[in-house]
Amino acid sequence: MKMSKTMIRLLTFSGLVAALTLAAFLLAATSQSGSVQAAEDNGNCQVIHVSVDEGYGISGTVQRRICE
């Protein structure tokens, strides 16, 4: 059974899409929270209120945790 050029291109493209999807999933699944966790464990933290203006009449305050 001989495969046409179109079929070969389709299989190659499908394999490329599958490989890129797998790579994206693996990158998203890796944990980056190690340094954040260490900062949160520090006892020198304080919560401050910061006013935020997003424009178009949307403003408010948010709480930010600052750790030293």
Side-chain angles (χ1 to χ4, degrees), residues 2-12:
K2 187 174 179 181
M3 296 176 61
S4 67
K5 287 183 180 182
T6 306
M7 184 62 88
I8 292 171
R9 288 180 184 163
L10 178 65
L11 289 174
T12 303

Side-chain angles (χ1 to χ4, degrees), residues 48-52 60-64:
I48 60 171
H49 296 277
V50 180
S51 61
V52 179
T61 59
V62 294
Q63 294 180 357
R64 295 203 176 151

